[in-house]
Amino acid sequence: MKLQRKNRLRALSLGAVAVSGALALTACGSDDTGGKSNGGDNTTSSATSASAIKCDDAKGQLQASGSSAQKNAIDAWVKEFTQACSGVQINYNPTGSGAGVTAFTQGQTAFAGSDSPLKPEEVGAAAKACGGNPAIDLPMVGGPIAIGYNLPGVDGLVLDASTIAKIFDGKITKWNDAAIAKLNPTAKLPSTKIQAFHRSDESGTTDNFTKYLKAVAPSDWNYSGGKAWQAKGGQSAQGSAGLAQQVKQTAGAISYFELSYAADGISTVDLKTDAATPVKASVENATKAIASAEVKGSGNDLSLGLNYKPTTEGAYPLTLVTYEIVCEKGNKADTLPATKAFLNYIASEDGQKLLTDAKYAPIPAEIITKVRAAVSNLS
């Protein structure tokens, strides 16, 4: 479903991640694929004549991996960055947030994409990879986590957090269950068996999805949460694209993934919140919820505390923020120029403008301004 362009909320801007070069996408079991884009000259490209991509001394290859939720954003950014900066290859592998953080802490990548900030138990390993310096979480792009379903003849399905929790915990197994029927009194719900799919890999999307359930329906979701799926039962697939593919091809299926994967006819659930009207999964509605997030990190670490119970009318609370995790200091000399050029562009206003049609939500202006300052101080 194509989102119409709308005026962005005042004081909000969109953070994003630009990626260049030969995109090495190897997410097993998913349909994530990437394209190779050869750079032009070391100036601003004709497609980005209004932008100011500063390549500086960026050159060589930059390895990165992690969040598959931002993969579609990467596809939107790769062309612009590579046309502006010749001689730079950035290979981003959407292996999932957990694998991305592991690769970073093992010194294999210049940065990691993660839909959750570093956990306390990961901080030490990350600092070791940074030569004894801290790694920082830089929020770059937000987005709604859509709940996609395959139920022909049923449009505009409404679910609340309690019902969603029971579905993914195997306590509601039929689509005509009384709890679903109560939320959808005019729908002709079939007795089809519910096929709930979750991520097989460690995933920041899973982490954020289960944080929402734990925060809003704690009596129905009795799991501690995290990047690894904990509930019993259900079926699994690799990556966001893998889940979306399963929903497309499986009658009665339901799953969760970043909104940009809800394409090619995949229907999405409207969330019943405390607001008067169920809320649709959209960039605009997710932006309203992300605007109430608070910075929880200190210094240049900008990890956020998301508000899963926003009071703003129309706010879609099931959201995630993708962070680029990078060394504040101690970056390798041969990758630092490309890392800074890359991150400077994706945090810029010009980089942000590419994301509206890719169905990603803005990072609030107050926060993205701090991100830009943090990037400028990387060393």
Side-chain angles (χ1 to χ4, degrees), residues 287-329:
T287 297
K288 293 177 184 179
I290 294 173
S292 62
E294 296 181 357
V295 175
K296 296 295 185 181
S298 60
N300 284 326
D301 183 85
L302 299 172
S303 57
L304 302 178
L306 297 177
N307 179 9
Y308 295 113
K309 298 180 180 180
T311 58
T312 303
E313 191 73 20
Y316 184 85
L318 182 46
T319 62
L320 62 77
V321 170
T322 298
Y323 300 86
E324 310 314 323
I325 297 172
V326 64
C327 297
E328 182 175 22
K329 297 180 179 179

Side-chain angles (χ1 to χ4, degrees), residues 201-233:
D201 53 321
E202 290 197 356
S203 160
T205 309
T206 293
D207 191 17
N208 283 277
F209 177 62
T210 55
K211 279 180 180 177
Y212 166 75
L213 296 179
K214 186 174 177 63
V216 184
S219 62
D220 298 306
W221 192 256
N222 299 308
Y223 302 96
S224 60
K227 294 176 183 176
W229 185 259
Q230 295 176 327
K232 306 300 181 183

